[in-house]
Amino acid sequence: EAGVAQSPRYKIIEKRQSVAFWCNPISGHATLYWYQQILGQGPKLLIQFQNNGVVDDSQLPKDRFSAERLKGVDSTLKIQPAKLEDSAVYLCASRTSGRAVEQFFGPGTRLTVL
Amino acid sequence: QQQVKQSPQSLIVQKGGISIINCAYENTAFDYFPWYQQFPGKGPALLIAIRPDVSEKKEGRFTISFNKSAKQFSLHIMDSQPGDSATYFCAASDNFGNEKLTFGTGTRLTIIP
């Protein structure tokens, strides 16, 4: 079974520039998450999708971050414009439906904002 | 109320020893408590998880102890090996894991020969 795929793996941009990350979840996984992991901290949820609908985006900085999940499969997370404090690893995770079901994480995209 | 507090921040254990990492939570609605292991450059991977209807769960060398009244849970790694060197995160979720995971701050574990 293929895992969660993310690209790019690394990205360096200047502040105020835009950046986009892509995630392909495990086939058949209806729920998709984007987490932000700042160095030395645990992952923090940004947004949760169920199929192509948003379940929870309460911690997404909506003035600069946006995310979409077209056709309930792939997802993109965009930052526009980026700030220095956005430097982090952006993790995508997915899981199938059901109780106490494991979330599978991708390798993440490491973003550095200069 | 959504926080999960994790300690210690870092831990050094001799090979063959027992590694113990502790977490505490406040939200009594949490009902799913997984531990994740993360190696450098990789995403977190589920190690073991527990529901609050049991006080202990063991899988191989890894054991979760759960104290519902104290709102605490811990990970014990028996016979720690160099390959266990990684960062460990506790997490919690409600609605039987259907909701978001709230992660602890992580423990960097180093196993020395």
Side-chain angles (χ1 to χ4, degrees):
Chain A
E1 179 181 75
V4 176
Q6 290 188 246
S7 66
R9 291 296 313 277
Y10 305 92
K11 191 73 176 179
I12 300 174
I13 61 173
E14 303 266 335
K15 61 183 179 183
R16 291 187 291 272
Q17 285 187 323
S18 302
V19 65
F21 313 127
W22 174 82
C23 173
N24 187 334
I26 293 173
S27 177
H29 282 195
T31 307
L32 184 147
Y33 307 83
W34 282 102
Y35 289 87
Q36 180 192 57
Q37 186 175 21
I38 294 173
L39 185 65
Q41 298 182 20
K44 183 187 82 171
L45 181 76
L46 292 174
I47 189 167
Q48 176 183 350
F49 290 96
Q50 178 73 20
N51 296 308
N52 60 351
V54 175
V55 174
D56 184 350
D57 64 355
S58 58
Q59 298 187 89
L60 186 75
K62 298 181 186 65
D63 58 334
R64 298 183 301 107
F65 286 66
S66 64
E68 61 180 4
R69 190 180 184 196
L70 299 176
K71 300 180 182 178
V73 183
D74 293 6
S75 178
T76 56
L77 176 69
K78 297 179 182 178
I79 307 175
Q80 180 179 12
K83 293 185 175 181
L84 296 176
E85 59 260 36
D86 298 332
S87 294
V89 175
Y90 290 85
L91 294 163
C92 179
S94 71
R95 67 169 178 83
T96 187
S97 301
R99 293 183 165 186
V101 176
E102 178 180 357
Q103 288 188 27
F104 292 86
F105 283 80
T109 296
R110 181 177 295 277
L111 173 67
T112 302
V113 182
L114 303 177
Chain B
Q1 196 178 19
Q2 290 292 324
Q3 277 189 324
V4 177
K5 296 181 180 179
Q6 183 172 348
S7 64
Q9 189 173 12
S10 63
L11 181 62
I12 299 174
V13 174
Q14 204 137 24
K15 179 183 174 183
I18 303 173
S19 304
I20 302 174
I21 305 170
N22 301 297
C23 283
Y25 64 97
E26 298 175 352
N27 186 350
T28 55
F30 286 150
D31 57 12
Y32 175 67
F33 302 90
W35 284 89
Y36 278 81
Q37 180 188 55
Q38 186 175 30
F39 293 104
K42 305 288 186 182
L46 181 67
L47 192 62
I48 186 172
I50 197 168
R51 295 273 309 280
D53 50 345
V54 296
S55 61
E56 186 175 282
K57 183 175 182 180
K58 183 176 181 179
E59 290 184 1
R61 297 185 293 109
F62 302 92
T63 300
I64 300 178
S65 297
F66 186 83
N67 185 329
K68 188 174 181 178
S69 60
K71 292 186 285 186
Q72 295 175 348
F73 59 109
S74 60
L75 175 69
H76 296 233
I77 305 175
M78 311 299 287
D79 187 26
S80 299
Q81 298 297 312
D84 297 331
S85 296
T87 299
Y88 292 81
F89 293 95
C90 63
S93 177
D94 57 6
N95 196 16
F96 304 113
N98 280 313
E99 304 303 325
K100 66 183 181 185
L101 288 172
T102 298
F103 283 86
T105 50
T107 297
R108 177 173 287 187
L109 174 65
T110 303
I111 308 300
I112 56 175

